[in-house]
Amino acid sequence: MVKEEKEIANRPDNTAFTQQRLPAWQPMLSAGIVIPGFVLIGLAFIGIGVALFVTSRSITVLEIDYTGVEKDSPCYKCSDADVKNCVCNLVFSIDRTRVLLLWFVKLFQNYRKYAASKDDDQLSGDLDAFTAPSDSCSPYDYNSNDKPIVPCGAIANSMFNDTFKLYRVVNGAKKLVPLDGKGIAWWIDYNVKYRNPSVTPLKNAFNNTVKPIFWPKPAYQLDASDPANNGFINQDFLVWMRRAALPDFRKLYRRITEGDYAKGLPAGNYSLTIAYNYPVLSFEGTKKVVFSNVSWMGGKNEFLGIAYLVVGSLCVLMSIVMLIVYAKFKFPEED
Amino acid sequence: MSGTTSQADPVDATARSVLLNGTQTTKFCDNHVSTTKYGVLTFLPRFLYEQIRRAANAFFLFIALMQQIPDVSPTGRYTTLVPLIFILTVAGIKEIIEDYVAVGDIVKVTNGQHLPADMVIVSSSEPQAMCYTETSNLDGETNLKIRQGLSLTATYQTLEDLIGLSGRLECEGPNRHLYDFTGTLRLENQNPAPLGPDQVLLRGAQLRNTQWVVGIIVYTGHDSKLMQNSTKAPLKRSNVERVTNMQILVLFCILLVMALISSVGAAIWNKQHTEESCWYLNRAGHGNVLRRNRHTAMARTSNLNEELGQVKYLFSDKTGTLTCNIMHFKKCTIAGLTYGALPASPNNSTEFDDPTLVQNIETHICEFLTVMAVCHTVVPEREENGIIYQASSPDEGALVKGAKGLGFVFTARTPRSVIIEARGKEMSYELLNVLEFSSNRKRMSVVVRTPTGRLRLYCKGADNVIFERLTEASQYKELTMAHLEEFATEGLRTLCFAYVDLEEEAYQEWLKEYTIISTAGVPETIATLMKADIKIWVLTGDKQETAINIGYSCRLITHGMSLIIVNEDSLDATRATLTSHCDSLGDSLGKENELALIIDGQTLKYALSFELRQAFLDLALSCKAKHVKAITLAIGDGANDVGMIQTAHVGVGISGNEGMQATNSSDYSIAQFCYLEKLLLVHGAWSYNRVTKCILYCFYKNVVLYIIELWFAFVNGFSGQILFERWCIGLYNVIFTRRLRSLWEYLTGRAANRTCSASRSSTESPRMLRLQHQVFPPGGMGKHGALDVFFAVYSAIWPSIPIAPDMLGQASWQSDAVLVLLAGSDPGAGCVFTQRLRLDRVITLKVSCMMSDGLLPALSTRRTVRKSLLEEVQELEARAVDPGAAVLRDASGRSLNERAHLLTRVFRKAPSTVGRSNSVQQTVSHGYAFSQEEHGVVSQSEMVRSYDTTRERPSL
């Protein structure tokens, strides 16, 4: 016989968990719970859906394609890649709007090699990475003279560089509208992930490095008007560096919050002067400016309201079907 | 001396000649035996083969190789290497190396030791070079076997004698026949003496009731009979695993198609988007498409757990397995009064404890206890702290011990008498005759002269045999019969005692019987397993008689069952019998009948011959079941069961009395037969349930993940960019399979992954087991939401936990892209839109996903449409009601209690016609406890006569 002491020596802990004595737990979905549950969910969703749909309908959006493909477009002259420092002017009228967005089509920020082409150490202010950029930036890590590029990589190199000036046209007179470029980047990017090196002046940190090949100015001179908005924490840079998941994407460009325009642009006629620098026609891309409102639910999105309505209706429908089935089958068996 | 021994010299090529006390001229195989699955050299190839045989693992091997390319690997190189080294170490420890002995050595084996190799007996401590061995490891028989050395050598008992031994031993070459041996012992200056199987002790057997034995090693290592009988450990795979393998292959094909689509897409995209046009892209060194394939659906089952839940046929080695080879005197009925433990606690007390017996003591009881102490073949042995009884069968030992406990101590045996100490008074019974036990007689008797000078016959045997021989005048006949019935229903094995005074011509008889319980829980376990529709086939090395008895006492065979006994000597006779049985069954052939088929080994050999196999199978299945393509389970505890354990889909070994061979070759080892119930019905069912769920869940989970990735490939120029950051994927796979559940269980103390609790689930309702076979929908409410919560939390806390630099910036993609994909709405709308919007969208989509999950269960519960038994039990459990009634009701009209079972038989016609068939036996009423070696080398009476325990035994 096996000795008792032996058994005790190998005995596992006698707890409900180790001995698998835990009581079983399974969600019990009974008709009594599910049918009312479906009705409630359905009604709630229909309510939300209606609210969303109505709100979305009330948001005005103006999209203007300024790529300049069509001959009658004011920017047609700029679409020729050989024209430098081209400026074009759009004139339009809008209802009240609060934000200015950029909309790109067929721009693949999600292409694998492209998306990886940056050096996170560098962008977090690590000076060692200034002198030796990561391989992931290749071929935009060193220039032809073997000088390190800062910020390196294809994303930074391809940063969007059109600039806009918005004028309100009142009785033929153009009045410049101040655009707020401050709060457009993600909080986390601005405060945590991207950091300038702690060197003052900032310019000194960039000694022995070169600016990205396609950039007209180095990183520490991105915003001449605001010295604090330079380097890696430049808001436009941050917005660009946060790559879009899809090739058809919108990026926030400016908010309209200042002075007379604290409540957004009043309805009226406007003129937008564009310094056209960024070529997209070579890859059949499109660039647009979008004037939009924001509401409690965000931007214009009719789909969301419709989706809620459909799901909510389905829930109610299902509960009715279940009720019929339940009534039909329950009672005969209740003997 | 056995007559089977052959005089003829074995001259075949394999014959061996062993020199005594000299250097061997021939080289024999050494005694090293390893029965582990892997050897040192065979480990790597065998291990790899086994691993790669699983498509999942081959798949992972491929992936692992891919991972060794630094640029591709996201998980590092050591994840596959560490487990490999771990398993290697474990396998190394498992190695067993036997003691080293060589052919021709003369060895001494002492009591209780296992014999190290096959050997020929020279001499022993017992009279006439007798010795007892327990061969249950070899053939499963539990009673002790007597072996006897040649009288020629029996006197070589001292070291000097043995050193002086010189000569030659010739014998046949190694073979696998356990009961055959021919050889010749040629001692110098002596006539050659023939050696037969009775002189041979086999490796694996255990020396019992014998202080020591000296023998000459003849076969060692793999030449020994035990090893010749063993088969190579097979590699097993479970059914679910096989299915999964197929699924993984399909998956792999899908994956290849996906990769193909991706590469074609990439080619087209690259043509359209040339390097010049897409000036902003850095296209040099184009990314590989294969990268997408890194993690994909996985379903890995590392063992046979789920198979346990699907067992349909249970092959059991009877003897040791079912009874544990332990017997106890539990109850008795003497002159119409029962004594013994209360039936409520048959498992708790192993000994007879009923003070009323001693209080009531009178003539009948004295006489009863005297029979117990006198009528047997047990040999007592004095040790410092009492008497040890050397019984050749466990039931005899149990009886003598029982008598001892009640004050009738059997103290000594001399060739002519038995000395007992009855309540402190020494009494000597002169042994006049011993009438041996045989399976035909089913009884054993002794004729003794009592101390008072009376001539008396004591008899014990099976109830029907004893009852036949009682006089008409016998008292208490009916009452005793009723008590016997009662005992048998409790699962006890019974035996009757009777005595007659031979001086008086009139047979004044009365009757007593005692009972012995087989071990704890077995009948209950078998009954439960049978309720769960598991078919049990018992294979035994024991005698047919014993097998039937144990069948009864284990409730394997119930009283209403007809027995078909097939016991023929030739192929033709077997054919005739089988055919006649098949015919008599008629229409009910192939259906389940209340029949038990009992077939002996010899006949089985014929029955399994090619032409009869089908007929036999038909017949066998008529008794037991409908399905042939089913999972089989074999359970056993002896080395003789190893083959069976290895062949069955699932092998279960019982670690216990008969050594560890069975345990080592089994897939699962348990300590007692009754644990099988929990193993199968609770853990097997759970495991099957979990594994199937887990496989479905894994597939589902990964499909969910990678469909998104495939979609993403279409919008990122097939560049191989992954949507989710690699650590996210890794954590997603880990967290959503295992950790959450454990956490949940810890936090709530409720097990989410069980269909219902152990206590009241499967053991109480064995038919639940069948329910586990449905395929579970991969539904589950939590995962959609959990996925999003995971990403939300992960992306929110990332900045403080920098897991991977690549994570930078991707969190937004994830929430965006998931939304975009699921909502099909406009693409990543920049950053001004509030977080609230995202959550709103998520909720919509999640709810629509859940609707399908909730709908079906809701309709099927509360008996709305069609409630499954599982659901019913779950409901009852939720309401804290015992689900037993529901299960009983569900048993598809087949009631589970005995009475109802008999009632249903009344309305069934087929078995009654079978019952009339000539060899169908219905006479055996209860299992009776008695087994002894028949036709042994030394007969029982001779054996009894050769002992004188009052004298000292020789020692070497």
Side-chain angles (χ1 to χ4, degrees):
Chain A
M1 277 207 80
V2 184
K3 293 225 169 71
E4 267 186 37
E5 303 87 64
K6 229 179 180 176
E7 283 175 358
I8 289 162
N10 292 330
R11 181 178 292 173
D13 291 345
N14 186 15
T15 65
F17 187 78
T18 54
Q19 292 294 314
Q20 310 208 2
R21 265 188 272 107
L22 289 177
W25 179 83
Q26 293 280 325
M28 208 78 66
L29 298 170
S30 63
I33 296 166
V34 172
I35 295 174
F38 267 49
V39 172
L40 285 178
I41 292 171
L43 292 178
F45 272 39
I46 289 171
I48 297 169
V50 168
L52 285 174
F53 191 71
V54 170
T55 314
S56 182
R57 271 296 165 95
S58 71
I59 294 173
T60 47
V61 173
L62 177 73
E63 299 167 14
I64 308 161
D65 186 337
Y66 73 99
T67 321
V69 185
E70 282 88 33
K71 284 210 169 94
D72 53 347
S73 164
C75 293
Y76 177 68
K77 57 178 178 179
C78 300
S79 60
D80 185 347
D82 297 332
V83 180
K84 300 289 176 203
N85 300 323
C86 178
V87 176
C88 58
N89 198 43
L90 302 174
V91 181
F92 50 93
S93 67
I94 44 170
D95 289 340
R96 182 175 288 276
T97 53
R98 302 189 65 154
V99 291
L100 176 55
L101 300 147
L102 301 170
W103 186 344
F104 300 92
V105 178
K106 284 200 179 175
L107 182 66
F108 286 82
Q109 271 203 321
N110 60 6
Y111 192 79
R112 182 175 155 226
K113 292 287 274 189
Y114 177 86
S117 187
K118 62 187 176 107
D119 184 345
D120 290 303
D121 291 339
Q122 205 179 62
L123 294 171
S124 63
D126 183 350
L127 281 171
D128 293 339
F130 274 50
T131 48
S134 149
D135 290 344
S136 60
C137 285
S138 171
Y140 301 108
D141 45 357
Y142 295 95
N143 72 355
S144 49
N145 298 328
D146 242 7
K147 288 258 187 175
I149 298 171
V150 178
C152 71
I155 311 174
N157 191 49
S158 62
M159 186 180 157
F160 184 68
N161 59 358
D162 287 0
T163 55
F164 304 88
K165 279 201 171 84
L166 181 65
Y167 299 94
R168 184 170 183 207
V169 183
V170 185
N171 304 326
K174 284 165 100 182
K175 194 185 169 197
L176 185 67
V177 178
L179 297 174
D180 178 8
K182 288 282 151 28
I184 57 170
W186 284 39
W187 182 89
I188 213 112
D189 292 345
Y190 185 73
N191 292 292
V192 182
K193 284 165 68 178
Y194 291 77
R195 309 258 29 105
N196 279 328
S198 44
V199 175
T200 37
L202 185 60
K203 182 179 183 298
N204 290 353
F206 290 82
N207 290 340
N208 294 318
T209 66
V210 292
K211 62 180 171 56
I213 295 159
F214 293 167
W215 284 22
K217 290 177 286 187
Y220 51 89
Q221 288 174 357
L222 282 174
D223 189 349
S225 60
D226 182 3
N229 191 27
N230 273 310
F232 303 143
I233 56 166
N234 176 274
Q235 298 269 342
D236 288 324
F237 179 69
L238 292 175
V239 169
W240 186 255
M241 291 303 285
R242 180 159 282 273
R243 298 142 300 163
L246 298 170
D248 183 346
F249 61 94
R250 286 183 282 186
K251 281 183 184 289
L252 184 61
Y253 184 65
R254 290 292 183 265
R255 294 187 299 158
I256 297 145
T257 55
E258 290 173 18
D260 298 343
Y261 306 97
K263 290 182 175 173
L265 290 178
N269 295 321
Y270 291 87
S271 160
L272 187 69
T273 308
I274 302 160
Y276 191 114
N277 301 315
Y278 202 75
V280 294
L281 274 175
S282 64
F283 52 88
E284 295 170 324
T286 310
K287 46 185 186 179
K288 300 175 191 173
V289 283
V290 181
F291 289 90
S292 174
N293 273 346
V294 279
S295 69
W296 59 270
M297 59 162 280
K300 194 177 181 69
N301 186 350
E302 291 193 358
F303 172 83
L304 191 60
I306 295 169
Y308 266 95
L309 285 173
V310 169
V311 171
S313 321
L314 270 176
C315 279
V316 174
L317 192 75
M318 288 296 178
S319 62
I320 293 167
V321 171
M322 277 194 287
L323 197 66
I324 293 168
V325 174
Y326 184 59
K328 200 167 175 192
F329 287 94
K330 188 198 173 183
F331 303 109
E333 277 195 43
E334 205 58 22
D335 58 334
Chain B
M1 193 119 316
S2 170
T4 56
T5 312
S6 156
Q7 256 319 72
D9 278 356
V11 286
D12 53 311
T14 54
R16 51 172 63 181
S17 173
V18 180
L19 287 175
L20 304 182
N21 285 325
T23 319
Q24 302 303 325
T25 47
T26 342
K27 187 167 165 33
F28 298 112
C29 146
D30 66 29
N31 203 32
H32 172 106
V33 171
S34 165
T35 51
T36 52
K37 197 145 101 178
Y38 304 115
V40 176
L41 285 175
T42 56
F43 173 75
L44 256 180
R46 217 169 142 77
F47 174 78
L48 284 178
Y49 170 68
E50 174 156 39
Q51 292 305 306
I52 292 168
R53 210 167 49 127
R54 294 189 177 131
N57 286 333
F59 185 82
F60 283 120
L61 183 74
F62 175 71
I63 301 295
L65 287 176
M66 296 292 298
Q67 284 181 350
Q68 300 308 307
I69 305 165
D71 194 34
V72 179
S73 167
T75 52
R77 305 172 181 196
Y78 301 103
T79 43
T80 39
L81 202 65
V82 171
L84 189 85
I85 288 169
F86 175 73
I87 292 166
L88 201 124
T89 318
V90 171
I93 292 165
K94 261 175 74 183
E95 194 90 348
I96 303 160
I97 296 165
E98 296 279 328
D99 292 331
Y100 193 82
V101 293
V103 171
D105 285 1
I106 294 175
V107 293
K108 175 188 163 190
V109 180
T110 53
N111 196 9
Q113 282 188 331
H114 287 273
L115 294 154
D118 295 356
M119 57 199 250
V120 169
I121 303 167
V122 174
S123 60
S124 81
S125 59
E126 308 301 302
Q128 297 157 30
M130 284 196 304
C131 67
Y132 296 89
T133 58
E134 192 188 291
T135 55
S136 54
N137 273 346
L138 295 158
D139 54 16
E141 293 189 29
T142 51
N143 46 354
L144 301 185
K145 295 214 171 54
I146 299 175
R147 294 284 179 268
Q148 191 179 31
L150 294 175
S151 51
L152 188 68
T153 57
T155 51
Y156 288 80
Q157 289 193 337
T158 65
L159 198 58
E160 292 74 40
D161 289 345
L162 291 168
I163 289 170
L165 206 63
S166 70
R168 208 148 51 87
L169 192 153
E170 285 164 0
C171 62
E172 61 191 359
N175 59 54
R176 52 181 305 162
H177 306 296
L178 288 177
Y179 305 109
D180 291 338
F181 180 81
T182 36
T184 317
L185 184 67
R186 295 171 194 277
L187 291 181
E188 261 173 40
N189 310 322
Q190 305 256 14
N191 286 333
L195 293 169
D198 291 328
Q199 280 77 45
V200 176
L201 296 176
L202 300 179
R203 180 193 181 116
Q206 195 186 9
L207 192 67
R208 295 283 295 272
N209 299 3
T210 312
Q211 281 191 337
W212 52 263
V213 68
V214 169
I216 304 161
I217 304 284
V218 283
Y219 302 125
T220 47
H222 286 281
D223 289 343
S224 61
K225 305 252 183 202
L226 175 73
M227 294 315 295
Q228 293 273 318
N229 270 297
S230 72
T231 48
K232 254 206 146 21
L235 299 168
K236 287 184 190 177
R237 60 207 299 213
S238 78
N239 220 14
V240 172
E241 200 179 309
R242 225 164 287 140
V243 175
T244 312
N245 270 357
M246 271 314 294
Q247 288 169 339
I248 283 180
L249 282 178
V250 171
L251 201 81
F252 193 72
C253 294
I254 294 172
L255 208 72
L256 283 179
V257 170
M258 275 164 68
L260 202 70
I261 292 171
S262 298
S263 20
V264 170
I268 295 169
W269 195 89
N270 288 335
K271 209 159 223 170
Q272 283 171 355
H273 300 78
T274 58
E275 210 155 324
E276 302 82 59
S277 69
C278 289
W279 54 269
Y280 61 95
L281 293 180
N282 47 332
R283 301 278 292 283
H286 194 272
N288 55 7
V289 177
L290 263 173
R291 190 184 168 103
R292 287 210 60 259
N293 302 344
R294 286 174 321 173
H295 294 265
T296 190
M298 62 176 88
R300 197 189 126 77
T301 64
S302 58
N303 46 36
L304 303 162
N305 289 342
E306 64 280 3
E307 211 83 336
L308 291 174
Q310 291 182 295
V311 168
K312 271 228 135 94
Y313 287 86
L314 192 146
F315 290 95
S316 169
D317 158 61
K318 172 208 57 85
T319 330
T321 311
L322 295 187
T323 61
C324 260
N325 288 345
I326 300 164
M327 292 211 185
H328 294 291
F329 178 58
K330 296 291 284 189
K331 286 189 169 188
C332 62
T333 165
I334 305 168
L337 288 172
T338 54
Y339 305 92
L342 298 168
S345 57
N347 301 347
N348 305 340
S349 66
T350 50
E351 288 305 324
F352 182 90
D353 53 340
D354 192 348
T356 49
L357 181 80
V358 187
Q359 284 159 17
N360 287 3
I361 206 140
E362 35 81 31
T363 359
H364 285 331
I365 295 175
C366 277
E367 216 50 76
F368 175 79
L369 294 174
T370 312
V371 185
M372 277 172 75
V374 171
C375 178
H376 53 73
T377 58
V378 175
V379 178
E381 206 169 289
R382 285 208 171 270
E383 299 243 323
E384 295 127 37
N385 43 3
I387 300 168
I388 288 179
Y389 294 115
Q390 311 271 26
S392 64
S393 74
D395 39 48
E396 287 214 301
L399 281 181
V400 178
K401 259 184 233 157
K404 182 184 167 197
L406 293 165
F408 280 69
V409 188
F410 169 52
T411 51
R413 185 185 280 285
T414 66
R416 304 231 50 89
S417 66
V418 172
I419 298 159
I420 64 167
E421 210 178 282
R423 290 189 287 161
K425 211 165 67 191
E426 192 172 280
M427 294 204 273
S428 171
Y429 285 81
E430 194 185 337
L431 214 54
L432 301 176
N433 287 88
V434 178
L435 306 172
E436 280 184 43
F437 170 84
S438 83
S439 51
N440 289 334
R441 282 165 34 88
K442 290 179 191 150
R443 63 188 185 274
M444 177 215 170
S445 314
V446 286
V447 180
V448 293
R449 189 176 296 286
T450 63
T452 50
R454 289 214 267 182
L455 207 58
R456 188 169 275 183
L457 178 128
Y458 288 125
C459 178
K460 65 175 179 183
D463 48 7
N464 56 339
V465 183
I466 300 286
F467 274 87
E468 271 171 30
R469 283 164 182 75
L470 295 180
T471 51
E472 294 295 316
S474 295
Q475 300 164 295
Y476 313 120
K477 232 173 165 176
E478 265 74 47
L479 208 52
T480 306
M481 202 66 134
H483 288 155
L484 270 179
E485 198 76 41
E486 198 180 294
F487 292 164
T489 9
E490 281 169 35
L492 301 174
R493 289 162 75 180
T494 61
L495 197 65
C496 297
F497 286 138
Y499 82 84
V500 60
D501 281 326
L502 293 178
E503 287 172 342
E504 301 164 35
E505 286 298 304
Y507 276 16
Q508 174 237 338
E509 284 194 21
W510 43 269
L511 175 81
K512 299 127 187 186
E513 65 284 321
Y514 77 96
T515 59
I516 297 171
I517 189 166
S518 50
T519 192
V522 173
E524 289 81 4
T525 305
I526 290 188
T528 320
L529 293 179
M530 282 172 74
K531 278 186 224 161
D533 279 358
I534 293 176
K535 321 300 170 200
I536 302 172
W537 294 22
V538 173
L539 311 175
T540 174
D542 269 11
K543 290 175 293 295
Q544 204 165 46
E545 198 62 33
T546 326
I548 295 171
N549 287 322
I550 292 186
Y552 274 116
S553 58
C554 294
R555 299 190 203 162
L556 188 58
I557 308 173
T558 52
H559 289 206
M561 274 186 179
S562 310
L563 305 184
I564 298 178
I565 295 177
V566 185
N567 204 345
E568 305 294 343
D569 298 337
S570 70
L571 185 64
D572 290 332
T574 310
R575 184 190 295 125
T577 320
L578 286 180
T579 319
S580 75
H581 281 306
C582 285
D583 290 346
S584 69
L585 279 168
D587 286 344
S588 49
L589 184 72
K591 296 184 193 121
E592 246 175 295
N593 293 300
E594 294 299 327
L595 283 176
L597 178 73
I598 293 131
I599 186 161
D600 71 354
Q602 187 74 10
T603 320
L604 187 65
K605 204 162 75 187
Y606 295 125
L608 289 180
S609 68
F610 185 71
E611 49 174 328
L612 289 184
R613 202 174 285 169
Q614 190 53 46
F616 175 67
L617 195 63
D618 284 347
L619 188 64
L621 293 180
S622 309
C623 304
K624 295 295 177 186
K626 295 169 188 129
H627 310 279
V628 188
K629 203 177 166 189
I631 312 288
T632 57
L633 178 143
I635 182 162
D637 62 349
N640 59 314
D641 306 323
V642 167
M644 180 169 81
I645 286 172
Q646 288 177 342
T647 317
H649 290 106
V650 182
V652 177
I654 294 181
S655 49
N657 283 0
E658 295 189 13
M660 297 301 282
Q661 282 92 336
T663 314
N664 288 344
S665 58
S666 65
D667 302 309
Y668 295 93
S669 86
I670 51 179
Q672 286 183 25
F673 185 80
C674 59
Y675 295 160
L676 185 66
E677 183 184 345
K678 277 210 163 159
L679 182 69
L680 293 185
L681 297 181
V682 178
H683 297 287
W686 278 353
S687 193
Y688 179 74
N689 192 353
R690 281 179 210 154
V691 165
T692 47
K693 257 188 183 165
C694 182
I695 290 170
L696 288 171
Y697 179 66
C698 281
F699 274 88
Y700 173 79
K701 183 183 71 168
N702 284 284
V703 165
V704 164
L705 188 63
Y706 287 101
I707 285 291
I708 300 177
E709 294 279 13
L710 181 66
W711 162 80
F712 192 57
F714 279 84
V715 297
N716 68 20
F718 304 97
S719 60
Q721 174 64 40
I722 45 169
L723 186 58
F724 304 109
E725 198 273 329
R726 57 175 67 143
W727 281 93
C728 281
I729 295 172
L731 290 172
Y732 169 79
N733 270 325
V734 172
I735 289 175
F736 285 97
T737 42
R738 179 91 193 87
R739 302 283 155 239
L740 274 190
R741 191 145 260 178
S742 296
L743 194 68
W744 167 260
E745 288 181 10
Y746 272 119
L747 290 180
T748 61
R750 309 223 103 199
N753 57 351
R754 300 192 187 140
T755 45
C756 41
S757 308
S759 58
R760 53 175 71 232
S761 73
S762 311
T763 44
E764 277 183 27
S765 45
R767 289 186 60 82
M768 290 272 296
L769 182 64
R770 291 275 100 38
L771 300 175
Q772 316 295 349
H773 292 226
Q774 47 187 276
V775 175
F776 287 87
M781 309 274 259
K783 50 188 173 290
H784 303 287
L787 174 70
D788 286 325
V789 171
F790 171 67
F791 283 130
V793 171
Y794 185 71
S795 52
I797 63 169
W798 181 79
S800 44
I801 311 168
I803 300 175
D806 224 25
M807 187 58 206
L808 293 162
Q810 292 208 349
S812 70
W813 285 21
Q814 282 140 20
S815 38
D816 266 4
V818 171
L819 289 173
V820 166
L821 172 83
L822 296 177
S825 84
D826 60 341
C831 39
V832 76
F833 299 105
T834 58
Q835 206 61 36
R836 190 174 60 231
L837 170 66
R838 292 214 170 78
L839 287 176
D840 287 348
R841 290 199 213 172
V842 169
I843 292 164
T844 329
L845 296 157
K846 293 319 154 196
V847 170
S848 53
C849 292
M850 286 179 206
M851 286 218 308
S852 61
D853 289 346
L855 205 61
L856 238 121
L859 280 176
S860 57
T861 46
R862 293 264 177 248
R863 276 211 262 168
T864 305
V865 176
R866 196 173 61 82
K867 181 155 48 180
S868 74
L869 178 59
L870 178 65
E871 280 157 349
E872 199 167 340
V873 172
Q874 281 179 351
E875 260 177 52
L876 290 170
E877 189 176 318
R879 295 198 306 234
V881 177
D882 186 3
V887 176
L888 278 173
R889 193 176 59 231
D890 181 78
S892 60
R894 268 206 299 159
S895 195
L896 301 176
N897 63 38
E898 180 89 355
R899 197 179 303 154
H901 169 79
L902 288 172
L903 279 174
T904 52
R905 262 182 56 76
V906 172
F907 301 105
R908 221 181 287 174
K909 280 174 186 158
S912 56
T913 52
V914 174
R916 276 183 227 116
S917 147
N918 54 354
S919 62
V920 172
Q921 188 183 343
Q922 278 184 310
T923 53
V924 183
S925 46
H926 316 294
Y928 72 94
F930 214 176
S931 67
Q932 258 181 355
E933 194 189 19
E934 292 173 49
H935 320 298
V937 57
V938 183
S939 76
Q940 295 293 333
S941 43
E942 266 181 67
M943 198 275 293
V944 164
R945 300 269 183 227
S946 63
Y947 272 96
D948 186 351
T949 58
T950 52
R951 283 187 296 167
E952 277 290 301
R953 276 199 257 185
S955 63
L956 183 67

